[in-house]
Amino acid sequence: MKFKAILFAIAISASSLAFAQETKKFGPPAGNAVVGDVYGGGLASNAESKAISVDKLSKKLKKENKKVENVAVKGKVTDVCDKKGCWLTLQTEDNSQFFVKMKDYAFFVPTALKGKTVVMDGTAERKVTSVDEQKHYAEDAKKPKAEIDAITSPKEEIRFVANGIKVVN
């Protein structure tokens, strides 16, 4: 009987250790996000030289009133998903935020990207974000409960799907 109890304890310990290591894998990637680091599929060959500001992208989207594909944008990262590094926000010229997801959920970025200037290559569009989705991202960003509860209406915003992201400053 003691042998079974010891075997059971060993099995529980081993599975707990394995689970802890598996859980660790699902956080944001490690890294310092230094100038020159590239995440995702890379950038188009002329992306850095053709990158426009977030403000110019916003004006372009208002003018064309549709999706803009194959566009490069340069901006400062203000937040990164703490859970996986699966989204980020860029600061706009009017201090609002611009939401970025990674294409096909195929890559993630380190939280060290906060405060860095990046160039991104991808697709942008104006989109209405539901209350539930806004709250989900606020929870990911570990916002205070009061701030999450204050989200009560859908919001129109620029949404960007990045093919690649490069740290430039």
Side-chain angles (χ1 to χ4, degrees):
M1 189 67 166
K2 283 183 181 179
F3 179 73
K4 285 183 181 179
I6 291 172
L7 209 60
F8 180 73
I10 290 171
I12 294 296
S13 296
S15 65
S16 296
L17 182 61
F19 181 77
Q21 288 176 352
E22 187 68 24
T23 302
K24 187 176 179 183
K25 278 198 241 178
F26 291 110
N32 294 325
V34 296
V35 173
D37 282 356
V38 177
Y39 305 96
L43 302 178
S45 61
N46 62 352
E48 279 188 75
S49 62
K50 299 264 183 184
I52 60 175
S53 70
V54 174
D55 189 46
K56 284 183 181 175
L57 176 62
S58 181
K59 288 176 183 173
K60 186 173 185 157
L61 284 168
K62 283 180 183 174
K63 181 180 173 187
E64 295 183 17
N65 201 24
K66 62 178 179 177
K67 187 183 285 191
V68 178
E69 296 186 18
N70 301 319
V71 64
V73 178
K74 183 177 183 178
K76 184 177 180 179
V77 177
T78 56
D79 206 1
V80 174
C81 174
D82 283 332
K83 286 187 176 181
K84 292 184 182 179
C86 59
W87 56 260
L88 60 91
T89 55
L90 290 185
Q91 182 175 350
T92 64
E93 283 76 4
D94 67 359
N95 287 325
S96 61
Q97 293 190 349
F98 170 107
F99 193 82
V100 180
K101 284 181 147 179
M102 306 344 163
K103 184 175 183 184
D104 298 329
Y105 209 60
F107 67 97
F108 304 126
V109 297
T111 56
L113 206 56
K114 289 180 192 176
K116 308 287 179 144
T117 301
V118 298
V119 171
M120 302 181 309
D121 187 25
T123 303
E125 67 181 319
R126 286 204 163 276
K127 191 173 180 182
V128 175
T129 306
S130 71
V131 171
D132 288 343
E133 190 172 359
Q134 289 179 68
K135 286 184 175 192
H136 170 79
Y137 293 127
E139 288 168 359
D140 279 357
K142 298 181 180 170
K143 300 287 183 190
K145 182 161 176 28
E147 190 175 330
I148 294 169
D149 291 343
I151 300 170
T152 58
S153 60
K155 173 173 82 170
E156 183 177 310
E157 61 186 346
I158 296 172
R159 298 299 288 265
F160 195 93
V161 178
N163 299 323
I165 298 172
K166 181 177 183 179
V167 181
V168 295
N169 191 0

